[in-house]
Amino acid sequence: MNKFINFLSYKKISFISLPVLLALYFSLIINFPVLSELNAILSKLDSVKLGFIISIPVFFFAAFNFIFNLFSWPYLSRPIFTLLLIVSSMVSYAMYNYGVIFDYGMIENIFETDTSEATSYLSNYSVFWTMVMGVLPALFLWKVKIKNDKGAVHFIVMKMTSMAASLVIIAIIAFFFYKDYSSVGRNNSYLKKMIIPTHYMYSAAKYINNTYFAEPVEYQQIGLDARQSNAALATAQSKPTLFVFVLGETARAQNYELNGYDRPTNQYTRDLGLYSFQDVSSCGTATAVSVPCMYSALPKHNYDKQLANSQDNFLDIMQRAGISLLWKENDGGDKDVAKHIPKQEIDRNKQDHLCNGNTCYDMALLENFDNDVSAMKGNRMLTLHLIGSHGPTYYQRYPEDKRFFTPDCPRSDIENCSQEEIINTYDNTILYTDFVISQTIAKLKQLEDKYNTALFYISDHGESLGENGLYLHGTPYSLAPEHQTQVPMMVWFSNSFSKSKKINTDCLKHAAEKNSYSQDNIFHSMLGIMDVETEVYNSGMDIFSRCRN
């Protein structure tokens, strides 16, 4: 290695040849996931022009050469292209191995992740890929001599000539194959989002601008008239409501036994009288989108994160109405939906039977449960934010004694496990969440003499487990499979809760089995079930309203 590095030290390239080399590297190596996807698309067509196939890497090369020339300047080239090479190698890894597309939503999710979640994606394979594809080329960039020996005028003329040549090549390709590019692009619009580094750079720039430079939206309070109904206030004096909202993570509806899955993933709750809603869609395919959207009054088709963060959500309205709230966090962040209410975060740095110094099992959320409840006043809502089934380190979400489905996949580079192992590991996480829910219900049953108790569970989004070459989540919603957009939703009501809220359980059972819902319903359903009266409440969007006498 030292001999190779010393050898590079004697090599010399110009600022004109540098973009050419980088364009060649990005066209053939970094963008291999795009070329692979194009190969799969073209192989399904009845007939394809050979010239069109040959033109694709040439088109990429010309386009990249033009773009990279814009950044190939003395003192700027090395730091800019070093960052580009390393980040692009990471994007290439995720795209090729997991089918992840780095659009605005994915960039948003990356920026808002925490250290524990980020490190879960590290593996020997991912590090090796990044070293070979990103770090070594960057090392080459720093060791070779980049010079411009013939003066500034010659430098500018050669740069303009190179860029002009690129445009000519692109124009020639467009002249002969425009219809082919148009047809493939129109029928596979997601392809443009796969091109590295253009789309992820565009998405990152857009996110940074919207987050740090856009003019802030003035905060708007909504539901200023919010109050609890007289019946709810009277109940709070004698036997308060205790409602536990369990916010799941990365659970998909298709792997729930209560939804027809042929494996016993709900063996802890199947006999507890839960109502499992069979058709529920998420607002997004990533936590950063789904959670703020779910808590907001904004519907999915009109959702804007900046606007959602700049107005009250249903927690804020409940607090205004006098309901006592507490958020307990085990997933690295509440995405700002709990910024105005009391919040506890599980200390994942500790090491005990529930935590390993980096992550904690979700049973940690139930520690001090009774004390948390007793410290609240009146009618109460306690939110438990699970880490649930967050991947790719699924195996870290459940303890050894809950390792029911085997063989599982005890590693983060799940692409190197078999499909059976991945599904077993994921199903173990679903089963462990089921266990946590059953234990939460057990605690609620113990408190039934003091409170009218209820539990509501919903996941933020689903997950792909290798179907059609996709893993994890975050696929643009318009392209995402139902595995990422269909989520489990379950409710459990104690007898006293059903009675106090006048709930027709037969009606609720029918609604769960036959009706379709989405996370748009959550805002109004939570206000409704907690009997909060306000002008922003819409009974037509309340899951429970039609089943209350």
Side-chain angles (χ1 to χ4, degrees):
M1 177 62 74
N2 288 333
K3 290 182 179 180
F4 176 69
I5 293 174
N6 292 332
F7 172 76
L8 290 179
S9 301
Y10 293 100
K11 295 299 176 182
K12 183 176 70 172
I13 60 175
S14 70
F15 284 103
I16 305 304
S17 58
L18 176 61
V20 173
L21 293 173
L22 287 169
L24 191 64
Y25 184 69
F26 271 79
S27 300
L28 300 179
I29 306 300
I30 291 293
N31 273 285
F32 181 74
V34 188
L35 298 177
S36 178
E37 183 68 15
L38 278 166
N39 178 63
I41 293 170
L42 297 179
S43 64
K44 296 176 182 177
L45 300 179
D46 294 333
S47 62
V48 185
K49 299 174 184 175
L50 179 61
F52 170 55
I53 296 174
I54 296 173
S55 76
I56 293 173
V58 177
F59 174 82
F60 280 173
F61 169 78
F64 287 137
N65 182 60
F66 181 89
I67 294 170
F68 293 159
N69 260 291
L70 297 173
F71 301 95
S72 181
W73 300 92
Y75 306 109
L76 294 179
S77 294
R78 281 194 174 100
I80 289 175
F81 291 127
T82 295
L83 180 63
L84 198 66
L85 282 164
I86 294 174
V87 174
S88 295
S89 68
M90 296 176 181
V91 172
S92 181
Y93 168 81
M95 193 176 294
Y96 180 72
N97 291 286
Y98 299 136
V100 174
I101 294 178
F102 287 78
D103 65 342
Y104 185 91
M106 179 56 69
I107 295 297
E108 179 181 49
N109 212 40
I110 290 171
F111 270 86
E112 297 185 11
T113 192
D114 64 349
T115 304
S116 177
E117 182 177 338
T119 55
S120 69
Y121 292 90
L122 290 177
S123 66
N124 292 334
Y125 183 38
S126 65
V127 171
F128 176 77
W129 181 294
T130 303
M131 289 292 295
V132 172
M133 298 274 283
V135 175
L136 287 181
L139 181 62
F140 167 83
L141 186 62
W142 282 94
K143 295 304 295 184
V144 298
K145 296 175 181 178
I146 307 175
K147 289 189 175 182
N148 176 41
D149 297 329
K150 297 184 179 180
V153 174
H154 180 268
F155 171 65
I156 296 297
V157 170
M158 292 302 295
K159 179 181 285 289
M160 297 303 293
T161 301
S162 180
M163 295 173 71
S166 293
L167 293 178
V168 170
I169 293 172
I170 292 172
I172 293 173
I173 292 174
F175 179 79
F176 286 102
F177 304 111
Y178 175 78
K179 289 184 179 180
D180 302 272
Y181 279 90
S182 178
S183 176
V184 172
R186 185 171 57 251
N187 294 324
N188 305 276
S189 58
Y190 65 93
L191 284 171
K192 64 183 179 182
K193 297 182 178 181
M194 294 181 66
I195 299 174
I196 306 169
T198 53
H199 196 76
Y200 83 73
M201 288 180 63
Y202 165 78
S203 299
K206 184 178 178 181
Y207 174 82
I208 292 170
N209 178 67
N210 290 346
T211 305
Y212 301 106
F213 298 103
E215 185 176 345
V217 177
E218 183 178 355
Y219 193 89
Q220 179 186 7
Q221 290 183 314
I222 62 174
L224 292 174
D225 60 334
R227 62 181 298 275
Q228 295 180 68
S229 68
N230 291 332
L233 291 172
T235 300
Q237 299 300 316
S238 56
K239 193 176 184 183
T241 293
L242 171 56
F243 193 99
V244 176
F245 188 113
V246 182
L247 178 57
E249 170 65 48
T250 321
R252 67 187 204 180
Q254 294 86 350
N255 288 55
Y256 270 65
E257 178 187 357
L258 294 177
N259 291 344
Y261 191 44
D262 61 0
R263 306 184 85 181
T265 54
N266 293 118
Q267 57 185 279
Y268 294 107
T269 63
R270 68 164 76 105
D271 298 321
L272 296 182
L274 280 83
Y275 302 94
S276 182
F277 291 76
Q278 304 296 299
D279 186 5
V280 183
S281 59
S282 66
C283 186
T285 59
T287 308
V289 176
S290 285
V291 171
C293 180
M294 186 192 319
Y295 280 75
S296 166
L298 300 174
K300 178 186 180 300
H301 72 272
N302 198 34
Y303 174 72
D304 177 84
K305 183 178 181 180
Q306 187 179 27
L307 183 58
N309 285 343
S310 301
Q311 68 179 30
D312 290 337
N313 57 45
F314 74 73
L315 294 176
D316 301 314
I317 295 171
M318 283 186 181
Q319 184 164 253
R320 182 175 298 121
I323 295 172
S324 186
L325 303 171
L326 175 62
W327 182 288
K328 298 190 72 173
E329 177 62 50
N330 190 40
D331 193 33
D334 61 283
K335 306 306 177 186
D336 273 348
V337 300
K339 57 181 177 289
H340 298 140
I341 70 169
K343 183 169 60 176
Q344 296 178 14
E345 188 158 353
I346 301 300
D347 181 11
R348 292 180 289 175
N349 294 318
K350 63 181 181 180
Q351 298 189 26
D352 55 22
H353 66 293
L354 292 175
C355 303
N356 64 8
N358 185 55
T359 185
C360 293
Y361 301 129
D362 282 322
M363 277 299 293
L365 288 164
L366 295 185
E367 291 187 321
N368 302 314
F369 183 87
D370 291 355
N371 292 335
D372 292 332
V373 170
S374 62
M376 303 166 77
K377 305 295 182 183
N379 292 321
R380 302 142 208 233
M381 175 177 280
L382 173 61
T383 301
L384 306 178
H385 190 190
L386 310 183
I387 196 168
S389 302
H390 202 295
T393 50
Y394 304 122
Y395 70 97
Q396 292 187 1
R397 307 297 169 240
Y398 54 90
E400 178 64 26
D401 65 343
K402 294 297 183 292
R403 183 172 168 261
F404 183 82
F405 302 103
T406 57
D408 56 359
C409 175
R411 54 195 298 173
S412 59
D413 52 338
I414 57 174
E415 67 275 13
N416 291 316
C417 291
S418 69
Q419 190 77 3
E420 178 192 12
E421 290 170 334
I422 294 172
I423 292 173
N424 284 341
T425 314
Y426 183 80
D427 283 348
N428 282 332
T429 70
I430 299 295
L431 182 60
Y432 186 67
T433 292
D434 195 61
F435 173 72
V436 173
I437 290 174
S438 72
Q439 294 304 297
T440 307
I441 291 174
K443 287 186 173 293
L444 291 176
K445 287 183 175 181
Q446 293 172 359
L447 296 172
E448 282 189 59
D449 59 329
K450 297 180 180 179
Y451 306 98
N452 295 316
T453 57
L455 179 143
F456 178 89
Y457 167 78
I458 188 170
S459 181
D460 55 355
H461 55 77
E463 185 88 327
S464 288
L465 300 176
E467 300 87 1
N468 299 315
L470 289 178
Y471 293 88
L472 306 177
H473 53 268
T475 302
Y477 203 93
S478 60
L479 304 174
E482 287 190 348
H483 292 114
Q484 294 189 33
T485 62
Q486 293 296 113
V487 295
M489 185 171 78
M490 304 187 299
V491 296
W492 173 86
F493 295 149
S494 67
N495 291 332
S496 63
F497 182 91
S498 296
K499 184 177 180 180
S500 68
K501 300 293 183 180
K502 298 182 172 60
I503 294 173
N504 183 324
T505 54
D506 290 334
C507 170
L508 187 61
K509 183 176 185 294
H510 181 271
E513 293 176 350
K514 303 299 182 182
N515 295 348
S516 297
Y517 298 101
S518 75
Q519 291 177 343
D520 287 350
N521 296 103
I522 304 305
F523 177 90
H524 303 281
S525 300
M526 292 302 104
L527 293 178
I529 201 66
M530 294 301 288
D531 289 318
V532 175
E533 298 175 345
T534 171
E535 63 180 1
V536 297
Y537 165 72
N538 180 354
S539 62
M541 292 293 290
D542 183 349
I543 295 167
F544 309 110
S545 63
R546 295 182 183 178
C547 295
R548 298 180 66 181
N549 299 323

